Amino acid sequence: MNSLLLDLNDAQREGVLASEGAVLMLAGAGSGKTKTLTHRIAYLVEVKKIHPTNILAVTFTNKAATEMRIRINGLLGRDADDRNYLPFLGTFHAIAVRILRREAMHLGYPQSFVIYDEADAQALIRLACKDLGIEEKVFSPQAMRSLISSAKNELLLPGDYARIAHGRAQETAALIYPEYQKRLREAGAMDFDDIIMQTVRLFETEPEVLSRYQQQFQFIMVDEYQDTNHAQYQLIALLAAGHKNICVVGDDWQSIYSWRWANYENILN
């Protein structure tokens, strides 16, 4: 038996060896999900001879990504900080930014686009409200930003959102959204929600670009899959459509990102 399999229990070993096709691992807290994922990646590299750049591993926090990186390097007998022989590994946003830094020109953005934080985004919405004659006391920039953020996480462009908006708050947000987006583009900037949305848009409008990344990522793994929202789900679905080797890990009872529009039904479906 390969040494990478020796300290695994039967269920973990099964997860490591099930490398082809679509794989769902439902596992509760403390069951060794991260251990299984890291051993799975190391097994693909060492035994299956898959080049690390052909593996995509997605986590939800930078801390989890760092932990996985250290563990994988340890399993492969490399220095803990060695980043030269690792898969594409990181959060959804970190990986999407990495792609956009190469491909943003296809969307009309500079490769050096700026990423606005929450304070920047609200300040821009405040300016848009002022120009549109929308009173901040009635519709706060924070509330409008939240509604626009929700729309982006559902992959709704300004026109799409305007068609489904109902109630004064959503209808007002629908007026602000296109003006806000225009100002972002003029500044060569994206907000936090644009990062996933624009990557999905890139893949949907540039089939040759999508094909390149589909061919590159022969094996895809997603941790904490119960916390994915619609945009994140769509991003992974597009990338996995190439080789169809997709492994998702999670526990529908542990979803914690509902405030970021996570949809635990993604893992149930």
Side-chain angles (χ1 to χ4, degrees):
M1 181 181 293
N2 185 277
S3 60
L4 289 170
L5 304 175
L6 290 177
D7 63 339
L8 303 177
N9 62 36
D10 289 344
Q12 292 167 341
R13 194 174 298 120
E14 182 182 5
V16 169
L17 294 174
S19 57
E20 308 292 328
V23 178
L24 167 64
M25 298 186 198
L26 280 175
S31 57
K33 291 180 290 184
T34 301
K35 182 177 184 178
T36 305
L37 274 182
T38 52
H39 278 68
R40 194 175 196 271
I41 292 169
Y43 190 85
L44 285 171
V45 173
E46 185 176 287
V47 180
K48 294 286 189 176
K49 304 304 179 185
I50 304 300
H51 196 278
T53 57
N54 295 129
I55 300 170
L56 172 64
V58 187
T59 67
F60 265 84
T61 67
N62 290 319
K63 180 180 178 181
T66 299
E67 180 183 347
M68 286 182 68
R69 184 177 294 112
I70 291 170
R71 287 197 192 188
I72 293 165
N73 276 332
L75 292 169
L76 295 174
R78 300 180 181 276
D79 291 336
D81 295 327
D82 187 354
R83 293 170 180 257
N84 296 320
Y85 199 71
L86 280 174
F88 263 62
L89 186 143
T91 66
F92 274 99
H93 286 85
I95 289 165
V97 166
R98 199 167 165 184
I99 293 170
L100 289 173
R101 289 294 182 205
R102 297 178 180 178
E103 316 289 352
M105 62 281 192
H106 293 290
L107 298 168
Y109 285 89
Q111 288 178 302
S112 58
F113 64 88
V114 179
I115 300 174
Y116 275 16
D117 62 17
E118 195 61 28
D120 294 328
Q122 288 190 36
L124 202 62
I125 286 177
R126 187 172 284 109
L127 290 173
C129 287
K130 185 176 180 181
D131 283 356
L132 292 168
I134 296 170
E135 291 188 26
E136 191 175 317
K137 291 181 180 179
V138 180
F139 298 105
S140 72
Q142 182 178 6
M144 294 298 98
R145 163 75 181 127
S146 179
L147 288 171
I148 292 170
S149 177
S150 176
K152 289 184 177 184
N153 279 283
E154 291 296 325
L155 299 177
L156 295 171
L157 294 170
D160 302 322
Y161 186 61
R163 282 189 288 274
I164 67 167
H166 63 277
R168 287 186 65 200
Q170 286 190 6
E171 288 167 359
T172 303
L175 291 175
I176 297 168
Y177 187 1
E179 179 65 21
Y180 168 65
Q181 209 62 19
K182 184 183 80 170
R183 288 170 180 265
L184 281 172
R185 185 174 287 276
E186 288 172 349
M190 298 185 195
D191 64 20
F192 189 73
D193 304 299
D194 276 326
I195 293 169
I196 304 294
M197 183 179 183
Q198 294 293 352
T199 307
V200 171
R201 182 167 165 258
L202 168 74
F203 288 154
E204 289 179 338
T205 59
E206 301 290 336
E208 291 183 5
V209 175
L210 172 59
S211 179
R212 269 196 283 117
Y213 287 96
Q214 285 177 334
Q215 291 306 308
Q216 176 177 347
F217 297 135
Q218 298 175 22
F219 293 86
I220 298 174
M221 278 158 272
V222 186
D223 196 11
E224 306 295 355
Y225 192 68
Q226 74 277 354
D227 288 324
T228 53
N229 61 32
H230 176 67
Q232 291 162 339
Y233 164 80
Q234 192 62 29
L235 175 62
I236 292 299
L238 286 165
L239 287 171
H243 291 277
K244 297 182 171 60
N245 295 321
I246 170 79
C247 172
V248 300
V249 183
D251 178 5
D252 57 300
W253 285 92
Q254 291 190 67
S255 184
I256 61 171
Y257 283 112
S258 58
W259 57 278
R260 282 189 189 170
W261 301 280
N263 183 1
Y264 69 91
E265 291 185 0
N266 286 341
I267 198 167
L268 298 181
N269 292 336

